[in-house]
Amino acid sequence: MSSAMPLPRWVDVLLLPVLNVTLAFIIGGIVVLIVGENPIEAVRIMLYGAFGYGYGFGFTLYYTTNFIFAGLAVAVAFHAGLFNIGGEGQAYVGGLGAILVALAVGGLHWALAMPLIMISAALFAGFWAFIPGYLQAKRGSHVVITTIMMNFIATSMMSYIISRILKPANVNSDESARIDEVTRVPFLSEWIPLLRNTPVNISFVLALLALVGVYLLIWHTKFGYALRTMGHNGTAARYAGMSNAKLIMLAMAISGALAGMVAINDTAGAHGRLILGYVAGTGFVGIAVAFMGKAHPIGVGLSALLFGVLYQGGQELAFTMPAITREMIVTIQALVILFTGAMSNMLRRPVELAFLTARTRQKEPVPTERKEA
């Protein structure tokens, strides 16, 4: 009998990611122990830095917002059988769309300006993702290769635009002009004093709405059904009358548009201007977020929160425990990405064997004693 067996949904979505993260933290704890620090105390400091006070909690939500958008971008493409690893470049180009409109409508109230900025960021980033989608659908160029190349092109192009075109004459650093305060996306601290002096803004609410929207799109629309069908079996989708080429291009455009929402959180919100290299690896973290969350919006939200905790809690840990350097914090983050991404199925086999053993024992007949004649 083969030991391979389908696992319950809750095991695949919840138990395996928790086990992977736990294993990553155990190994990270060993690293902390090697440098002479207490791993339990390190975890306590990280949790306190992420949730223990308003300033830290605000930064946790700020990082979480970016990771939600980046994770959803990867998740949508994944359901279509595509691996979009160009979120970094797409978010960067989305920042260009956001700043152009934000500066053009300067003085307009944020409630009226924000939808325009969102549309522009989504169009710019969506178009940047549409290009690899078109190349795969029409020319057979693999989307992984083309999205990687587009990342480098976006970085070079944006560096030139920011430093040579958008940079004001009286500014030394490579950045655009500032967005008017009345137009800028407002901070949540205006309504929640606990979050004062933190960059978290209304984009966090937008990210939560995006989670709901992606869930409805993928599982409760005809388009989402076609997308998942193509992701499972492109040949079957084609025989069912679906246009794979159209679905690929649309999926990539939507994926890119979601990545572009990072610009609403950063360019139009936290920074209030377009800064050189502002994405800072968010697009790549989104890959781990999506895979850890099994490309499901609930899982993406929880994974994004975990990485938000790692980022903000890691900064608190590096400040409180000088023996733990920034490089070690990055190592711990990398371990989580390693075990939840590249090695996410490492524990699947042992869990399958455990469930198979448990079910086999349940099916074994209970021996009965023979009555003597």
Side-chain angles (χ1 to χ4, degrees), residues 73 77 82-98 100 119-136 141-161 248-261 263 278-279 283-284:
L82 304 168
F83 192 15
N84 177 18
I85 57 177
E88 190 82 2
Q90 292 150 23
Y92 211 172
V93 174
L96 177 62
L100 290 179
I119 292 172
S120 180
L123 287 175
F124 272 66
F127 174 75
W128 201 253
F130 173 82
I131 297 173
Y134 174 84
L135 292 174
Q136 165 126 356
S141 303
H142 202 289
V143 73
V144 171
I145 304 300
T146 52
T147 49
I148 291 175
M149 295 172 64
M150 295 297 282
N151 280 338
F152 288 103
I153 296 172
T155 300
S156 300
M157 181 185 73
M158 291 299 294
S159 297
Y160 178 84
I161 292 174
I248 289 172
M249 291 184 286
L250 284 175
M252 287 299 295
I254 294 172
S255 176
L258 286 167
M261 293 301 99
Y278 86 91
V279 183
F284 296 117

Side-chain angles (χ1 to χ4, degrees), residues 14-286:
L14 182 62
L15 181 60
L16 281 175
V18 169
L19 290 176
N20 286 326
V21 172
T22 302
L23 183 58
F25 272 101
I26 290 174
I27 296 178
I30 295 174
V31 174
V32 172
L33 199 61
I34 290 174
V35 298
E37 296 289 352
N38 186 345
I40 304 300
E41 179 65 13
V43 172
R44 187 198 68 79
I45 292 173
M46 288 187 68
L47 292 177
Y48 175 77
F51 299 110
Y53 56 104
Y55 185 78
F57 184 52
F59 268 91
T60 299
L61 295 182
Y62 161 72
Y63 290 125
T64 300
T65 302
N66 279 344
F67 297 151
I68 287 176
F69 288 133
L72 287 177
V74 178
V76 169
F78 181 78
H79 282 292
L82 304 168
F83 192 15
N84 177 18
I85 57 177
E88 190 82 2
Q90 292 150 23
Y92 211 172
V93 174
L96 177 62
I99 195 63
L100 290 179
V101 171
L103 294 177
V105 300
L108 188 65
H109 191 273
W110 68 266
L112 300 175
M114 186 174 174
L116 300 177
I117 298 172
M118 288 172 55
I119 292 172
S120 180
L123 287 175
F124 272 66
F127 174 75
W128 201 253
F130 173 82
I131 297 173
Y134 174 84
L135 292 174
Q136 165 126 356
K138 300 296 186 179
R139 294 291 181 265
S141 303
H142 202 289
V143 73
V144 171
I145 304 300
T146 52
T147 49
I148 291 175
M149 295 172 64
M150 295 297 282
N151 280 338
F152 288 103
I153 296 172
T155 300
S156 300
M157 181 185 73
M158 291 299 294
S159 297
Y160 178 84
I161 292 174
I162 294 173
S163 61
R164 300 295 182 89
I165 300 176
L166 295 179
K167 179 183 175 182
N170 58 343
V171 175
N172 293 325
S173 57
D174 291 326
E175 60 184 48
S176 71
R178 289 182 175 272
I179 301 172
D180 290 347
E181 287 300 320
V182 68
T183 305
R184 186 175 176 178
V185 174
F187 298 103
L188 288 183
S189 58
E190 294 185 16
W191 298 276
I192 308 175
L194 177 69
L195 302 176
R196 62 183 179 275
N197 299 323
T198 65
V200 61
N201 52 71
I202 283 185
S203 300
F204 176 68
V205 180
L206 179 64
L208 297 180
L209 293 176
L211 290 171
V212 177
V214 168
Y215 171 77
L216 295 176
L217 175 70
I218 299 299
W219 281 278
H220 292 277
T221 65
K222 181 180 178 180
F223 172 76
Y225 176 77
L227 212 63
R228 289 183 289 121
T229 301
M230 183 184 69
H232 284 294
N233 193 322
T235 303
R238 186 168 57 253
Y239 274 100
M242 302 174 188
S243 173
N244 285 3
K246 180 180 178 181
L247 288 172
I248 289 172
M249 291 184 286
L250 284 175
M252 287 299 295
I254 294 172
S255 176
L258 286 167
M261 293 301 99
V262 172
I264 308 302
N265 186 38
D266 277 336
T267 301
H271 299 148
R273 60 197 187 280
L274 181 58
I275 298 176
L276 185 69
Y278 86 91
V279 183
T282 297
F284 296 117
V285 175

